[in-house]
């Protein structure tokens, strides 16, 4: 059970890191609005959201697999 707690904490750390990168990228996109235009920034933000969701889903899937593996014993 201690290992499960550790795995959950690592997964949360991973999700926080992904959100941090997303926030930084969003700030960078907002700074580019005047250069590339609103439509392009909007498209890039949608792509950023899709990537963020993809990576958080991968973290969640890995967490579930690892929890099942640890609780199997």
């Amino acid at each position: 059970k201690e290992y499960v707690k550790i795995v959950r904490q690592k997964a949360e750390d991973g999700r926080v890191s992904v959100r941090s990168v997303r926030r930084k990228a969003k700030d960078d996109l907002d700074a580019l609005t005047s250069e590339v235009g609103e439509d392009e920034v909007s498209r890039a933000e949608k792509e950023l959201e899709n990537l963020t969701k993809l990576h958080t889903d991968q973290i969640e899937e890995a967490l579930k697999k690892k929890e099942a593996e640890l609780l199997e014993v």
Side-chain angles (χ1 to χ4, degrees), residues 9-48:
Q9 183 59 46
K10 293 289 184 188
E12 183 58 30
D13 291 347
R15 287 189 291 264
V16 168
S17 294
V18 169
R19 287 192 298 262
S20 174
V21 169
R22 183 195 62 151
R23 194 174 312 112
K24 171 77 170 99
K26 177 119 173 53
D27 291 344
D28 291 346
L29 284 173
D30 290 342
L32 287 174
T33 302
S34 61
E35 293 177 32
V36 295
E38 198 70 37
D39 291 341
E40 198 63 29
V41 169
S42 178
R43 184 196 59 75
E45 285 177 356
K46 286 178 186 171
E47 180 70 21
L48 179 62

Side-chain angles (χ1 to χ4, degrees), residues 53-71:
K53 180 159 178 32
L54 173 72
H55 288 290
T56 54
D57 289 348
Q58 287 176 345
I59 290 170
E60 197 62 38
E61 189 176 313
L63 171 64
K64 287 179 185 175
K65 284 181 184 177
K66 190 49 104 174
E67 276 184 345
E69 185 181 311
L70 289 171
L71 294 174

